[in-house]
Amino acid sequence: MMIKIFRNFKIRTRLVLLFTILSIIPLLITVILVYKDSSDALKAKISTYSLQVMSQVSENIKRELDRLENDSVEIGFSDVVQNTLVHYDQMGEWELEHAIYIMRENHVKKFSFLHDVSDVLLYTKSGKKINAYGDAGFSFNLKQDYLDNYLSQLHEKDGGVVWVPINTENEYHLVKHATSAEQLSKSNGVLLGRAVRALSEGDRIGYLMIRTNERYLSNIYKDIDIGQGSEIFVLDKTGRVISSRSPHIPVTKPYFDAKMMGKIKENFEVSQHVFSLDIEGEKYLVSFAPVEGVDWFVVSTIPFSYINSDSQKIYAGAIFIAIICFVIAVLLAYLFSSSILAPLNRLRKGMKQVQGGNLSVIVQDHCNDEIGELTQNFNNMLIEIKSLMDNIKNQENQKRLAELKALQAQINPHFLSNTLNTVKFLAKSQKANNIESLTTSLIQLFHMTMGKGDDLITIEKELEYITNYINIQEYRYLNKFKVSFDIEPEILECKIPRLLLQPVVENALIHGIGPMDGQGMVVIKGFFYDKDIKITITDNGVGIPEEELEVILQKDQECEAMRVNGIGIANAGERIKMYFGAQYGLSIESAQGLYTTVEITIPALKQGSEQVCSR
């Protein structure tokens, strides 16, 4: 079975395929294994490296957050803050201003150089705001709804630290467009908040908020390079961006791919900190590390296009080597097979010429191998076949000519009987007024049917015969039909096989108009079409069912008793092809209940095949 399948391919194809399999398959296996191993190794190394970097960034952020938390504890327990929050309602204006001055002096010393803290706010239990540190000209003001929500969180936390990101959307600027560019650039920030308790009784006496610029966190990792197209950012447990070094990942907004946080939580539960994720149609390697105590995650995304770039270079080099090997294998197979295929191709071309009808082909091959012997036997066989074909063709031509002459010499006795009965009826009922016309047409019809000489006559003569035939049928059908001729005068001298149109007209009358109700119409047209002549015969009779059209062209219908002679439509088509070739003939188009058109196509010839009719 396998050998049979291979025999369906050409020899050169089999040889090339064999050389290709023997050379390419081992190379491809090697290339794939090298690419896979190198890709896996690079992915593992980058995963390990990125995870270590994220862990280090997480520790650095945690250390800075702890420092700020310690600062918040120190501020909250300071004497001036405790005294101000406890006695705020009893303090005079001068006392309050003096306390704020002391707080700002203390905080300037603490935050001017060590931290990127921009503002420190205190809120009393009654919601009174104290600006303990920051730009006095551009006071830090949270929008009321955001402030209320944040104070509510601090109240519920009851002294615990609450970290939240903020930006310009969360802040209120008295004159927005007049706010300095420097001030607006600080609007991306991280807010530390906690409730402040009294040192004496431990009651909640107010709230503390420390705002640090977000760049304080992003500066920790902004210069870390983990690959082209990579990003590092910080998310909270809800998927909101806490810190980012890229403007494409805005702070305080949810991360644009909602799947990210779900995958982080899913992998964090199973202690797996590296996974793959499709982001905006591109595959990324994601690694993350939690920031302890704040429910944050430091996240990095590295595109696989970068990870695989080195592997792809290795892969491209291996593919290049494989292509070279493939070309060498094909070249060797081609050279090796040429000695076998060259004589076979000559023999194959000779066979194709024979298939196209050329039996005079002689294939040259003087070698003594098996192919040479086969070629010589092929040449001898062609000589014998050509001789037999010539004999058969001559016999068939003689047979067809004899059959056609015999058909032309036949007169259907039933038709003759019907016609003579019509003559008798007319002579009796009409006192012989139409006998001369009917008898004349009948005599001319007989002359044409039994005429001798060239089988090709002029179209003018053929139309005279059709006219006589129609004259006879008009008496028989008693005004059942009318005939219209539309013939270009230029084609009248052109040649047409004798008795070619009569079977078609007869078929239109018998099978088209005969069964219909009322009077019918037959239209005969003749005209030049390019270098050929087309003659169409159309009737408006009952039409021909679609399934019968092909049958009509292959076998003449029955009802021979109603015909003038034994020549039918199929016979007429065969005669055209015999005289002029397979490119000529007739076709039928019909729609039931509407019409039937027979189109005849013949060459425009005058005498033999040398003189061509023209307009």
Side-chain angles (χ1 to χ4, degrees), residues 405-533:
K405 289 184 180 296
L407 286 172
Q408 291 171 3
Q410 294 177 2
I411 296 294
N412 193 310
H414 292 280
F415 176 83
L416 182 58
S417 176
N418 289 338
T419 304
L420 292 178
N421 282 332
T422 303
V423 174
K424 178 180 177 181
F425 173 78
L426 291 174
K428 183 177 180 181
S429 63
Q430 299 181 15
K431 298 181 181 181
N433 292 336
N434 297 318
I435 291 178
E436 182 179 1
S437 174
L438 181 61
T439 305
T440 300
S441 296
L442 181 59
I443 292 171
Q444 291 179 355
L445 183 66
F446 285 167
H447 288 170
M448 178 65 73
T449 305
M450 297 181 293
K452 298 181 179 180
D454 195 348
D455 289 332
L456 297 177
I457 63 174
T458 64
I459 292 177
E460 184 177 17
K461 287 288 186 183
E462 181 73 6
L463 292 175
E464 289 178 7
Y465 170 68
I466 291 298
T467 303
N468 289 321
Y469 171 75
I470 291 171
N471 187 37
I472 294 172
Q473 296 293 50
E474 284 178 343
Y475 287 112
R476 178 182 174 191
Y477 282 95
L478 298 177
N479 201 32
K480 176 73 173 176
F481 64 91
K482 288 185 178 181
V483 180
S484 171
F485 289 90
D486 183 8
I487 308 295
E488 290 184 356
E490 291 85 357
I491 72 170
L492 293 176
E493 294 302 317
C494 296
K495 295 291 186 177
I496 189 171
R498 186 194 301 269
L499 301 178
L500 184 64
L501 303 182
Q502 183 274 329
V504 181
V505 175
E506 185 177 42
N507 194 75
L509 296 178
I510 295 174
H511 299 288
I513 294 176
M516 71 179 288
D517 295 331
Q519 189 180 62
M521 185 72 183
V522 179
V523 178
I524 303 174
K525 294 184 179 181
F527 52 90
F528 278 109
Y529 185 81
D530 291 336
K531 295 181 181 180
D532 298 327
I533 292 175

Side-chain angles (χ1 to χ4, degrees), residues 49-325:
Y49 169 70
S50 63
L51 186 57
Q52 290 174 348
V53 170
M54 294 305 100
S55 298
Q56 186 61 52
V57 171
S58 173
E59 291 177 6
N60 292 342
I61 290 176
K62 176 60 177 173
R63 182 169 57 252
E64 297 302 325
L65 296 182
D66 288 343
R67 184 180 300 170
L68 285 173
E69 288 188 17
N70 293 334
D71 289 340
S72 70
V73 172
E74 182 180 343
I75 293 170
F77 288 150
S78 66
D79 294 338
V80 63
V81 170
Q82 287 279 319
N83 182 63
T84 302
L85 291 178
V86 172
H87 301 98
Y88 182 84
D89 294 333
Q90 292 80 36
M91 294 176 71
E93 184 175 346
W94 184 88
E95 287 182 294
L96 181 61
E97 287 296 329
H98 181 69
I100 292 174
Y101 175 79
I102 294 174
M103 283 188 277
R104 293 178 69 85
E105 284 290 318
N106 293 338
H107 297 156
V108 165
K109 295 175 183 178
K110 180 181 293 291
F111 297 125
S112 291
F113 301 103
L114 297 179
H115 298 289
D116 199 8
V117 173
S118 62
D119 298 274
V120 176
L121 301 180
L122 293 171
Y123 282 87
T124 67
K125 290 178 62 176
S126 60
K128 300 296 183 179
K129 174 183 172 182
I130 302 172
N131 192 347
Y133 175 71
D135 190 340
F138 296 96
S139 178
F140 172 56
N141 293 303
L142 291 172
K143 291 183 178 179
Q144 193 61 44
D145 56 346
Y146 189 88
L147 176 62
D148 293 341
N149 180 61
Y150 190 49
L151 289 175
S152 176
Q153 294 181 53
L154 299 182
H155 181 78
E156 292 177 2
K157 198 72 172 179
D158 197 21
V161 175
V162 177
W163 294 91
V164 293
I166 56 172
N167 62 12
T168 54
E169 294 181 3
N170 312 127
E171 299 177 35
Y172 173 75
H173 299 281
L174 185 60
V175 184
K176 182 176 181 181
H177 299 289
T179 304
S180 66
E182 181 183 2
Q183 186 69 17
L184 286 175
S185 69
K186 298 178 181 179
S187 294
N188 286 337
V190 179
L191 197 60
L192 177 154
R194 70 192 314 160
V196 179
R197 293 183 173 276
L199 287 174
S200 54
E201 292 84 5
D203 297 334
R204 186 166 50 249
I205 59 176
Y207 303 95
L208 168 66
M209 298 181 191
I210 300 177
R211 181 193 184 281
T212 182
N213 290 325
E214 182 272 333
R215 66 189 179 193
Y216 176 63
L217 296 181
S218 60
N219 283 341
I220 295 174
Y221 56 85
K222 73 173 184 178
D223 295 325
I224 296 176
D225 184 10
I226 55 174
Q228 185 177 2
S230 302
E231 294 293 348
I232 300 175
F233 48 91
V234 181
L235 300 178
D236 67 9
K237 64 180 179 180
T238 65
R240 185 171 48 177
V241 180
I242 301 295
S243 174
S244 168
R245 66 181 183 181
S246 170
H248 303 297
I249 307 176
V251 174
T252 76
K253 301 289 186 181
Y255 186 71
F256 58 85
D257 193 323
K259 301 189 298 292
M260 175 66 78
M261 201 61 224
K263 292 286 288 185
I264 289 176
K265 291 180 178 178
E266 178 184 329
N267 284 271
F268 183 64
E269 289 178 357
V270 295
S271 299
Q272 178 67 37
H273 291 186
V274 180
F275 59 89
S276 300
L277 182 65
D278 287 334
I279 303 176
E280 294 184 331
E282 186 175 356
K283 193 173 182 180
Y284 285 81
L285 179 70
V286 180
S287 60
F288 66 93
V291 181
E292 294 182 5
V294 290
D295 289 330
W296 290 358
F297 296 94
V298 181
V299 184
S300 69
T301 57
I302 306 174
F304 269 87
S305 57
Y306 166 75
I307 297 174
N308 295 330
S309 58
D310 290 336
S311 297
Q312 288 173 349
K313 291 178 183 177
I314 298 172
Y315 182 70
I319 288 295
F320 178 73
I321 295 173
I323 291 174
I324 292 177
C325 293

